[in-house]
Amino acid sequence: MLFCLQLSPWHECLSFQDEDPHVRKKAAVAVAKLHVINANLVEEQGFLDSLRELLGDSNPDVVANALATLSEINESSSTGHPLIQMNTTTINKLLTALNECREWGQVFILDSLSSYNPQDDRKAQSICERITPRLAHANAAVVLSAVKVLMKYMEMMGQDTDFVNNMVKKLSPPLVTLLSSEPEVQYVALRNINLIIQKRPDILKHEMKVFFVKYNDPIYIKLEKLDIMIRLTSQANIAQVLSELKEYATEVDVDFVRKSVRAIGRCAIKVEQSAERCVSTLLDLIQTKVNYVVQEAVVVIKDIFRKYPNKYESIIATLCENLDTLDEPEARASMIWIIGEYAERIDNADELLESFLDNFHDENAQVQLQLLTAIVKLFLKRPTDTQELVQQVLSLATQESENPDLRDRGFIYWRLLSTDPAAAKDVVLAEKPLIAEETDLLEPTLLDELICHIASLASVYHKPPSAFVEGKIGLKRMLPSRAEGEYEATESRAGVSEDGAATVIAEPGSLIGDLLDMDIGGGAAAVPRGAGGAAAPDLLGGGLDQLLAGGPPDPSVPGAAAN
């Protein structure tokens, strides 16, 4: 081959018209290698046109090699213009070669078909019917590539047509079969299934049992199965799911146990009719007194309280009994939030919160912020016997803390309580928005893009190729426009209601739903310390008198009126 590169005309070396199909196959692959060495030479010598002619070759492997080379060159092209005109003639040639070429070639053909947009539903259905047999292939890459094409074409058709419904039924068995492969293939299949069920949960809604964890599954398989189980959970299968999750919570793998306990909480939030059963299951787990189980249970119960306020307060006493065992920041912060939120129903709420102040400076920032807010809530609900406690925490937050977020929040509360307690109540005790059923769903635009990259690394990472492939230039793939009904379903998933009911947080951190429970760094008005480190002044000023008496602030009292 080196001799040809030096002495012979290029077209004599690359025999695209040779009688032997093996030679034509190698010639097609050689163009890809030559393009890496000298891209301009490939264009000048007309090799791209020769490759396009090979797409009509009688040998399916030659067609696959030519298509693979064109695809690779297209991906590295700086122009962004497709090298293959995907018209009806080309599509028919590719579909003809699909049934006869090797697995490697089938993957390239299916990938090219996924970038084609049929002119109408009839054409799309015709292509789907010819691709469907690939779902029964023994190779996982071929199966997932076929699923990718079908997912895209189904999006183009009416959402409730008989053809789409039949296609949904046909997609389930091959996906289930992939879970019988070796663990590495299983993991790739599970990551792709995670995307598929976010787009079309109906495909696997009756296959919950295949995602139940086996004792010998690797941990990465267990965690992925657990995530899919929650996505498929519904009122119809919640009983068996809870039974499984409760069993998982007794395993020896700590990470898996933690995720199982959190999964029970997600079930309670997702399936309202079974929330009470989920809470009962969490209480049973708390009774085991296993430290990390108890702490995870406290965290998820806080989320359940956010979803169903004033509904399960009877379990607060049980949570308080385990207060001394909590040593993780998230669990301690969750327990403090519960005490502050339901302070009027906990007789010794002030004693419980005061116990955290002993080591305030040693606490995690998350715990400090939550403790500050909880004590202010307690003061607004029971001002007569908690004045010293709120002054102590405000002093710790504003004068002894080096955390700017904590200081800013302390100054905000200080100013609110000292100038306008009514506004403080409106802010601190405001009704909180409901949390969403599922907060880890991918953003719809990103999901559409990833569906077009099923069977690639993008579908495993759940990131677009541009996020991890340096210098990625190829055309961005997206699903075609969806029907109006799909948009309505998307809005419903995001929590948009016609009657303007309670707002639902789409994703933690994406919206400022509860300002007081977030780390805010806004610039509150600074309050100077006393000169020479003197004792702190009365932090509440005349605001306390107003709060206790219920009257308007007295302008004659310093700090009682807004500046």
Side-chain angles (χ1 to χ4, degrees):
M1 185 62 183
L2 289 176
F3 176 77
C4 292
L5 289 175
Q6 296 174 5
L7 301 178
S8 303
W10 289 101
H11 279 280
E12 292 183 12
C13 296
L14 303 179
S15 302
F16 297 106
Q17 307 299 328
D18 195 279
E19 296 180 357
D20 190 343
H22 185 73
V23 176
R24 301 198 298 275
K25 287 193 316 183
K26 295 302 181 183
V29 175
V31 174
K33 297 181 179 179
L34 182 59
H35 185 270
V36 175
I37 300 172
N38 192 334
N40 292 330
L41 181 63
V42 171
E43 298 178 4
E44 292 171 359
Q45 294 293 324
F47 291 149
L48 296 180
D49 293 333
S50 299
L51 289 173
R52 294 188 186 98
E53 292 177 1
L54 288 182
L55 294 178
D57 198 279
S58 59
N59 187 287
D61 289 329
V62 174
V63 175
N65 279 23
L67 182 62
T69 299
L70 286 170
S71 299
E72 183 175 335
I73 294 175
N74 192 62
E75 287 291 329
S76 60
S77 174
S78 59
T79 62
H81 299 300
L83 299 177
I84 308 173
Q85 296 297 327
M86 300 297 289
N87 49 39
T88 303
T89 303
T90 304
I91 293 298
N92 289 333
K93 293 177 181 177
L94 297 180
L95 289 172
T96 300
L98 179 64
N99 297 326
E100 302 177 15
C101 65
R102 301 175 186 178
E103 299 165 346
W104 179 79
Q106 292 183 35
V107 171
F108 273 102
I109 292 176
L110 290 168
D111 188 62
S112 295
L113 290 173
S114 68
S115 62
Y116 172 65
N117 293 323
Q119 299 174 353
D120 51 43
D121 288 359
R122 182 178 179 182
K123 182 63 177 177
Q125 292 179 14
S126 175
I127 296 175
C128 289
E129 289 173 352
R130 297 181 69 174
I131 290 175
T132 301
R134 299 302 98 201
L135 295 175
H137 202 282
N139 186 282
V142 175
V143 173
L144 289 176
S145 296
V147 170
K148 171 173 60 178
V149 180
L150 296 175
M151 287 289 292
K152 176 178 179 179
Y153 287 2
M154 285 193 298
E155 191 70 14
M156 301 178 63
M157 307 177 201
Q159 299 303 305
D160 298 322
T161 63
D162 293 337
F163 183 86
V164 171
N165 294 333
N166 290 333
M167 197 59 61
V168 166
K169 295 177 182 178
K170 292 181 180 180
L171 285 175
S172 177
L175 293 175
V176 171
T177 302
L178 291 177
L179 301 182
S180 301
S181 308
E182 54 270 20
E184 294 78 9
V185 176
Q186 277 191 62
Y187 181 73
V188 173
L190 287 169
R191 293 294 284 175
N192 281 273
I193 288 172
N194 202 324
L195 295 175
I196 292 169
I197 62 175
Q198 287 188 54
K199 191 67 181 177
R200 291 184 176 273
D202 290 348
I203 292 178
L204 291 167
K205 66 179 181 180
H206 300 301
E207 303 294 342
M208 175 65 79
K209 288 187 177 181
V210 302
F211 298 104
F212 286 172
V213 172
K214 300 177 182 177
Y215 74 95
N216 58 347
D217 281 338
I219 182 62
Y220 57 89
I221 296 291
K222 290 181 177 180
L223 295 178
E224 200 62 35
K225 282 185 174 180
L226 198 57
D227 194 41
I228 294 175
M229 282 174 59
I230 302 306
R231 297 198 190 283
L232 295 176
T233 299
S234 63
Q235 180 61 29
N237 55 29
I238 185 66
Q240 58 180 169
V241 170
L242 275 181
S243 177
E244 283 288 313
L245 293 177
K246 189 174 182 180
E247 186 70 23
Y248 300 160
T250 62
E251 295 281 344
V252 295
D253 191 298
V254 176
D255 290 337
F256 181 57
V257 171
R258 287 178 180 274
K259 184 122 185 207
S260 299
V261 175
R262 295 216 176 198
I264 296 174
R266 289 175 61 185
C267 287
I269 294 171
K270 184 175 182 179
V271 186
E272 182 175 357
Q273 299 88 335
S274 300
E276 186 171 352
R277 185 185 301 181
C278 295
V279 171
S280 177
T281 302
L282 289 171
L283 289 178
D284 291 341
L285 294 175
I286 290 176
Q287 297 303 327
T288 63
K289 301 299 182 181
V290 178
N291 184 263
Y292 53 86
V293 173
V294 173
Q295 305 207 64
E296 290 297 325
V298 170
V299 173
V300 299
I301 287 175
K302 186 260 292 185
D303 292 336
I304 293 174
F305 282 160
R306 285 292 305 274
K307 179 67 175 180
Y308 311 109
N310 305 316
K311 193 170 183 181
Y312 298 106
E313 297 86 349
S314 58
I315 68 174
I316 294 178
T318 303
L319 298 180
C320 292
E321 292 174 1
N322 295 273
L323 185 62
D324 294 337
T325 65
L326 305 180
D327 54 18
E328 295 179 2
E330 188 175 7
R332 291 171 70 84
S334 297
M335 191 66 225
I336 291 171
W337 181 90
I338 293 173
I339 295 173
E341 189 69 15
Y342 297 96
E344 72 279 9
R345 306 182 190 184
I346 303 175
D347 295 335
N348 61 337
D350 53 341
E351 297 176 3
L352 295 176
L353 293 177
E354 189 174 8
S355 65
F356 287 97
L357 289 180
D358 296 337
N359 300 305
F360 183 80
H361 295 299
D362 297 329
E363 295 285 3
N364 181 275
Q366 179 184 8
V367 177
Q368 291 177 335
L369 288 164
Q370 199 60 258
L371 183 59
L372 172 61
T373 300
I375 291 179
V376 172
K377 287 180 181 178
L378 174 63
F379 173 71
L380 291 172
K381 294 177 180 179
R382 294 161 49 183
T384 55
D385 55 352
T386 57
Q387 180 183 3
E388 293 183 3
L389 183 61
V390 75
Q391 289 195 3
Q392 182 181 0
V393 74
L394 286 174
S395 177
L396 289 172
T398 58
Q399 301 190 30
E400 300 182 25
S401 174
E402 298 180 356
N403 185 338
D405 293 334
L406 184 62
R407 287 202 307 271
D408 287 347
R409 186 178 294 191
F411 285 135
I412 291 174
Y413 290 159
W414 181 348
R415 180 55 58 88
L416 281 173
L417 293 173
S418 62
T419 60
D420 194 348
K425 282 188 174 183
D426 292 338
V427 172
V428 181
L429 302 181
E431 182 178 353
K432 296 168 180 59
L434 303 178
I435 61 176
E437 294 180 358
E438 294 190 68
T439 59
D440 59 344
L441 292 175
L442 293 174
E443 193 270 331
T445 304
L446 175 60
L447 179 60
D448 288 349
E449 183 177 358
L450 292 178
I451 290 294
C452 294
H453 289 286
I454 286 177
S456 70
L457 278 177
S459 65
V460 177
Y461 291 149
H462 287 187
K463 296 179 180 179
S466 58
F468 59 88
V469 179
E470 186 175 355
K472 184 73 175 176
I473 300 175
L475 295 175
K476 183 176 181 179
R477 300 184 180 184
M478 293 295 296
L479 287 178
S481 299
R482 293 172 289 181
E484 293 181 3
E486 183 70 13
Y487 284 118
E488 294 173 0
T490 303
E491 291 181 353
S492 177
R493 255 196 330 266
V496 178
S497 58
E498 296 179 358
D499 57 359
T503 305
V504 176
I505 298 179
E507 183 176 351
S510 64
L511 299 174
I512 304 180
D514 182 6
L515 181 63
L516 304 181
D517 290 336
M518 295 180 62
D519 295 346
I520 55 175
V527 180
R529 299 185 184 182
D538 181 3
L539 299 179
L540 305 181
L544 177 61
D545 296 334
Q546 177 195 351
L547 189 66
L548 295 176
D554 184 357
S556 64
V557 179
N563 291 336

